[in-house]
Amino acid sequence: MKKHSDAPALELCNVSVGYGSRTVLHDLDFTVKSQEIFAIMGASGCGKSTLLKHIIGIHPLLAGSVKIFGRTISGNNALSEEEIARTFGVTYQGGALLGSLTLAENVALVLEEHTGLSRKEINNTVMEKLSWVNLDKFADFYPAEISGGMKKRAGLARALALDPPLLFFDEPSAGLDPVSSAELDRLILKMRNEFNRTIVIVTHELDSVFTVADRIIMLDKETGTIAESGDPRVLQKKSTIPWVRAFLNRDGLSYCTKQ
């Protein structure tokens, strides 16, 4: 894996995100350390996925700056398109696989676009990544022929194609059964513990957060800001904000009363 600078893996400074004249979140400041598993949390509709889309450059920021390993996606000292592809990978809620391509072809597409590898080298890399997520026996299957959990793992194999040091997950456990969700959690931990990757997860799934996350931020839907941050296991017991504590303890009555 390519060595990156000693700068934080991800750094947001005074960031505001939204669409046109509508601001969804504002004045966001946080840092993700290298090789950390960091979760962005909050109730449905609080702007978690919106924030992710702005961080990775799908939508422009309304204000502030986002730096990935000390470099921005746009403006001065920005990462090039090639550097972006090699610096971070993204897995989306539904896998975002191309339905007309097999799993192997979906993963190969990234390598064809961003490397000069031979066909044999590409095929070897594709099978390596699919094997890593236990899908090597399904290389010739199409997305419509596999389960939702398998689609998410195939999306992960594609995100890993160029061995990026930073990975973003958008609701990785959404729609999965408990066994599939636990398997994905194990893969996330393995990526960090054995392959030294930094992982940022957008989620509201508490079981996964308590299993894998080192730190979280809680987004407040009402104020459009970060309500609190820290170790989720500590915040669950000691948060000074009642609704954060209620959310992390699945105390629906207390949470809804606050809202």
Side-chain angles (χ1 to χ4, degrees):
M1 185 185 303
K2 181 180 178 180
K3 181 177 175 58
H4 285 261
S5 70
D6 294 327
L10 178 65
E11 184 176 9
L12 272 68
C13 181
N14 197 32
V15 163
S16 294
V17 301
Y19 307 100
S21 61
R22 176 175 174 250
T23 299
V24 176
L25 297 164
H26 62 91
D27 300 319
L28 305 183
D29 292 275
F30 65 86
T31 298
V32 179
K33 297 178 288 187
S34 180
Q35 297 177 32
E36 184 173 30
I37 300 178
F38 186 92
I40 299 171
M41 299 195 70
S44 297
C46 71
K48 300 185 297 295
S49 293
T50 293
L51 176 57
L52 176 61
K53 290 174 184 176
H54 284 75
I55 289 174
I56 64 178
I58 292 177
H59 299 298
L61 301 175
L62 299 184
S65 65
V66 172
K67 292 183 179 180
I68 296 176
F69 295 107
R71 304 276 300 280
T72 60
I73 292 180
S74 62
N76 296 330
N77 193 34
L79 292 161
S80 67
E81 183 177 343
E82 182 70 23
E83 288 174 319
I84 287 173
R86 293 182 177 277
T87 300
F88 65 82
V90 184
T91 67
Y92 299 95
Q93 291 188 33
L97 302 170
L98 296 176
S100 60
L101 302 180
T102 65
L103 302 192
E105 290 168 341
N106 267 279
V107 178
L109 190 61
V110 179
L111 298 164
E112 292 165 354
E113 289 183 352
H114 298 288
T115 74
L117 296 176
S118 67
R119 175 49 56 185
K120 181 178 180 180
E121 290 171 324
I122 288 176
N123 290 340
N124 288 341
T125 301
V126 166
M127 293 309 297
E128 175 190 348
K129 303 308 180 188
L130 288 175
S131 176
W132 200 85
V133 297
N134 299 318
L135 287 176
D136 47 310
K137 295 181 180 179
F138 297 87
D140 294 328
F141 281 58
Y142 288 89
E145 299 174 323
I146 60 175
S147 69
M150 294 167 74
K151 288 177 185 176
K152 288 179 182 284
R153 284 188 281 134
L156 174 55
R158 184 181 57 191
L160 290 168
L162 296 176
D163 292 318
L166 173 61
L167 291 167
F168 293 99
F169 287 81
D170 188 7
E171 298 285 5
S173 299
L176 297 185
D177 62 81
V179 173
S180 297
S181 181
E183 183 178 5
L184 192 56
D185 287 343
R186 286 193 292 272
L187 282 174
I188 289 172
L189 286 169
K190 184 176 182 180
M191 281 185 286
R192 192 275 300 278
N193 296 338
E194 296 185 22
F195 297 98
N196 302 320
R197 288 184 170 87
T198 304
I199 298 165
V200 176
I201 306 170
V202 169
T203 186
H204 63 271
E205 299 286 346
L206 292 178
D207 288 341
S208 292
V209 165
F210 290 128
T211 299
V212 306
D214 299 307
R215 285 192 303 134
I216 67 171
I217 56 170
M218 290 291 300
L219 299 178
D220 190 329
K221 183 177 180 179
E222 299 300 316
T223 65
T225 60
I226 296 173
E228 198 162 20
S229 63
D231 183 325
R233 292 154 287 270
V234 174
L235 295 179
Q236 183 186 35
K237 298 177 180 179
K238 298 183 178 180
S239 172
T240 59
I241 302 175
W243 74 261
V244 170
R245 202 166 57 249
F247 185 100
L248 294 175
N249 282 283
R250 298 182 175 86
D251 186 352
L253 180 60
S254 296
Y255 180 78
C256 292
T257 299
K258 181 271 174 190
Q259 298 298 300

